[in-house]
Amino acid sequence: MKTAQNHITLILLLAVLSSVTPLAVDAYLPSMPDIAQDLGVKINKIELTVSIFLIFFALGQLTGGILSDRLGRKKTALLGLLGFCISSFALFFSNSLDSLYFFRATQAFFGAMATVNSAAIVRDLFHGKEAAKIFSAIASIMMIAPMIAPALGSLVITFFTWNYIFLFLGIYSFIVMIVIYFKLPLTGIKSKTKIKEAYKKVLTHKQAMGYILAVSFGFSGMFIFIEKSSFIYMEYFLISKEYFPLFFGANVLMMIILTKVSMKLIQTIDTRKVLKSGIILQLIAGLALVGFSFEASIYTIFPAMVLYVGSLGFIFGNAMALALDYFKEDSGVANSVIGVSEFTIAGVIGFLASLVHSETLTPVFLMMVATSFFALISLRLSK
């Protein structure tokens, strides 16, 4: 993978693979009110599926990381995509809350087994600032998925019922599986380290865990927004399902812009400093959201929210590169620890957010400030 063309091909392949998850999370957000009405439950019961997805995604990364280092990246990715595809088709036929919960859990588990390999492949081939650039490039392309996913979801429910969103996800994952089978190169050296020793090596590495917890808490703040976005825009501000994707997509667009800015900055500025500035930016935006929430207006909440979510453009790629740079042979396990940390923390915090069904926005925004604050504290561990 020495030529620029090969780099571009690899980035596109890994971005397509990684996009399976944001599509699965975001495509059905506009349909939450419809699902709640169809199943005869309150919307917070449907919001809970986001937390279920995150928790089982964490478990899937734990399993996928082990398999990735021992069976190989490509085999693990294909196995995960197959399970994700089958679960998506099962969700298409779901007609109860219990079946929705169950198959969202299996969909998340196998989706994690597929996507956990992306970062491990990057670590196989790159390191240092070059790895940070590749991570950021993949993230900027991958972010197109959550930007267009709500629009796709809105388009589907305009002409069909909500379960057709999962039919789309099943077809998409099947196509990705075929592309990965024929195009993804074999990388990595199969680890000979015992599983227990590999996890101990990662979990006891103070500096790496500092970066892992920092990105996890920053990531959790974004998922509070994702879980509550339907309530904030469609119920609180009465934005129609046709316009919801525009408000949601603006957050992702800002993330893409700041990711590009980050890629430029790390050429001349220490990667850790760029990461820290992103966390501080997220914290400031969160405090602004709390302040604006007492007399909430779409004209103040919207730009502050865009800045809060967009700050992850400074956080994600840089934290991943800094954490994984400590591990070579066991990068799959290291990446699974990152995934488990991200999605477990996000899942727990998201569950707590689903319990907060207030008529005001202040409690939700206070939780978002708390995650940013913990991200900043965690970064101090990396020194």
Side-chain angles (χ1 to χ4, degrees):
M1 291 293 166
K2 296 297 184 181
T3 69
Q5 184 62 45
N6 284 338
H7 284 184
I8 293 171
T9 301
L10 180 67
I11 288 168
L12 290 173
L13 281 171
L14 296 182
V16 168
L17 176 61
S18 300
S19 296
V20 169
T21 302
L23 278 174
V25 173
D26 300 337
Y28 86 131
L29 292 178
S31 67
M32 279 188 173
D34 288 356
I35 300 174
Q37 184 177 7
D38 191 32
L39 298 182
V41 298
K42 291 183 179 180
I43 193 171
N44 64 316
K45 295 287 187 181
I46 306 303
E47 289 175 347
L48 191 58
T49 60
V50 177
S51 293
I52 290 172
F53 190 95
L54 298 181
I55 291 168
F56 278 88
F57 195 89
L59 295 174
Q61 292 221 18
L62 191 66
T63 304
I66 296 169
L67 294 177
S68 178
D69 285 337
R70 281 146 185 84
L71 297 181
R73 319 299 188 204
K74 189 170 182 175
K75 286 182 181 178
T76 308
L78 290 171
L79 178 62
L81 286 169
L82 178 62
F84 181 95
C85 181
I86 294 171
S87 298
S88 298
F89 287 129
L91 281 164
F92 173 66
F93 294 104
S94 294
N95 55 10
S96 69
L97 189 62
D98 287 341
S99 63
L100 185 69
Y101 285 169
F102 178 79
F103 288 114
R104 278 295 276 178
T106 58
Q107 186 190 47
F109 183 86
F110 285 106
M113 283 182 60
T115 58
V116 73
N117 297 277
S118 296
I121 291 170
V122 173
R123 180 60 189 86
D124 290 340
L125 301 172
F126 308 99
H127 61 87
K129 292 194 173 186
E130 190 177 14
K133 291 178 185 177
I134 298 295
F135 277 125
S136 296
I138 292 170
S140 63
I141 298 172
M142 185 187 75
M143 286 170 199
I144 296 173
M147 186 166 61
I148 66 172
L152 288 172
S154 291
L155 183 65
V156 169
I157 61 176
T158 299
F159 297 100
F160 306 98
T161 53
W162 58 267
N163 53 322
Y164 276 81
I165 293 172
F166 296 110
L167 178 63
F168 161 75
L169 291 172
I171 294 170
Y172 175 83
S173 57
F174 179 77
I175 293 171
V176 173
M177 184 167 57
I178 298 301
V179 173
I180 292 298
Y181 179 80
F182 286 106
K183 297 293 184 180
L184 187 68
L186 295 171
T187 65
I189 302 171
K190 292 184 180 180
S191 176
K192 297 179 181 178
T193 309
K194 292 181 179 179
I195 295 171
K196 184 178 178 180
E197 292 177 0
Y199 275 104
K200 182 180 179 181
K201 179 181 176 182
V202 177
L203 292 170
T204 56
H205 198 292
K206 180 176 175 289
Q207 289 82 6
M209 287 305 301
Y211 293 125
I212 290 171
L213 289 174
V215 71
S216 298
F217 280 112
F219 183 78
S220 298
M222 180 186 69
F223 264 89
I224 294 174
F225 161 71
I226 289 174
E227 185 168 279
K228 286 296 185 179
S229 59
S230 294
F231 166 70
I232 294 170
Y233 288 129
M234 298 176 71
E235 291 198 8
Y236 191 90
F237 289 118
L238 302 178
I239 302 298
S240 70
K241 63 184 179 184
E242 289 78 17
Y243 285 100
F244 171 77
L246 297 177
F247 284 86
F248 188 90
N251 298 277
V252 185
L253 182 61
M254 178 57 74
M255 204 186 304
I256 293 172
I257 292 171
L258 292 186
T259 297
K260 295 290 186 182
V261 174
S262 173
M263 291 170 68
K264 293 287 185 182
L265 290 176
I266 61 174
Q267 294 180 19
T268 54
I269 301 175
D270 181 65
T271 306
R272 190 178 186 281
K273 289 182 179 179
V274 178
L275 168 61
K276 185 177 181 180
S277 67
I279 296 173
I280 292 172
L281 177 62
Q282 189 183 62
L283 179 60
I284 292 171
L287 290 170
L289 283 168
V290 173
F292 293 144
S293 68
F294 295 106
E295 293 185 11
S297 164
I298 190 68
Y299 300 107
T300 54
I301 296 298
F302 174 65
M305 186 67 78
V306 168
L307 196 59
Y308 182 94
V309 178
S311 64
L312 277 167
F314 276 16
I315 298 171
F316 182 74
N318 294 319
M320 289 284 289
L322 287 166
L324 289 176
D325 208 35
Y326 292 106
F327 311 102
K328 181 178 181 180
E329 186 177 336
D330 298 298
S331 58
V333 167
N335 189 50
S336 74
V337 171
I338 294 173
V340 169
S341 176
E342 283 180 342
F343 286 93
T344 300
I345 291 173
V348 172
I349 292 175
F351 173 74
L352 295 175
S354 72
L355 300 178
V356 178
H357 201 62
S358 172
E359 293 182 358
T360 68
L361 301 176
T362 307
V364 174
F365 295 153
L366 282 172
M367 292 184 71
M368 293 169 69
V369 167
T371 61
S372 301
F373 176 75
F374 284 126
L376 193 59
I377 295 299
S378 299
L379 188 62
R380 294 181 63 86
L381 296 174
S382 63
K383 288 186 176 180

